[in-house]
Amino acid sequence: MSLNIRRAEERDAAIIAEFNSRIAWETEHKRLDPEVVARGVSRVFGDAAKGFYLVAESSEGVVGQLMITFEWSDWRDGWFWWIQSVYVREDHRRSGVFRSLYESVIQCAKSEQVVGLRLYVERDNTRAQKTYEQLGMCDAGYLIQEIMLT
């Protein structure tokens, strides 16, 4: 399968929002408000400081995505990029789509002198964890805690 990895454009917002809703359902059994998701995706395109999306395109259209957000590290005097909103269409999984997206992120990050890549993954999502480990990622030893304010 031939893939084109590219930065997403505003014309991709609807499919990205749809994929984000699918992610939430598949990984956490959460139904997201479509209007909120669409607004959130749109804001990324309107403000580069929020991040950017990469999409994987085949002859069938967009078949995968991920988002990059940024974290400044004063310890390392450099940027970490967080990989988020990873989704590959079910009929294209285990076919190299994520690997292609990931390799594109690595190349881009190296050219921008990023100090590291991070992502978070559901504890029970062992399939994804195995994929990330096969690509050279490892458990960073952190637990993520949060408090939701809205």
Side-chain angles (χ1 to χ4, degrees):
M1 165 180 47
S2 177
L3 285 175
N4 177 40
I5 307 299
R6 62 174 174 81
R7 281 218 184 191
E9 300 169 359
E10 238 175 305
R11 66 184 165 101
D12 301 306
I15 191 69
I16 290 169
E18 178 186 332
F19 283 0
N20 283 346
S21 292
R22 290 183 189 183
I23 295 164
W25 180 250
E26 286 183 25
T27 61
E28 301 179 32
H29 293 311
K30 290 183 180 176
R31 297 247 185 244
L32 302 180
D33 180 330
E35 289 181 25
V36 172
V37 175
R39 233 182 10 253
V41 169
S42 180
R43 287 180 195 246
V44 173
F45 290 109
D47 181 359
K50 286 183 172 42
F52 63 91
Y53 294 98
L54 291 181
V55 293
E57 221 172 19
S58 76
S59 60
E60 301 171 45
V62 175
V63 297
Q65 71 175 41
L66 58 74
M67 180 173 75
I68 298 296
T69 58
F70 316 110
E71 173 191 356
W72 178 254
S73 173
D74 56 346
W75 286 15
R76 294 178 181 90
D77 188 28
W79 290 102
F80 275 94
W81 280 4
W82 280 84
I83 299 172
Q84 300 187 65
S85 298
V86 173
Y87 187 81
V88 174
R89 246 178 42 188
E90 199 166 352
D91 59 339
H92 283 75
R93 292 181 187 162
R94 311 308 288 174
S95 67
V97 173
F98 176 72
R99 177 181 293 275
S100 295
L101 285 162
Y102 181 78
E103 288 172 353
S104 183
V105 168
I106 294 276
Q107 289 175 352
C108 188
K110 284 180 177 179
S111 74
E112 305 233 0
Q113 299 173 337
V114 170
V115 298
L117 300 176
R118 291 180 169 159
L119 59 77
Y120 51 88
V121 59
E122 290 289 319
R123 284 187 180 99
D124 296 333
N125 193 346
T126 55
R127 186 174 178 182
Q129 291 171 34
K130 187 172 188 169
T131 296
Y132 302 143
E133 288 167 6
Q134 289 172 341
L135 292 170
M137 298 192 92
C138 63
D139 183 338
Y142 298 104
L143 292 176
I144 294 177
Q145 298 183 340
E146 70 181 4
I147 183 170
M148 299 303 294
L149 302 176
T150 60

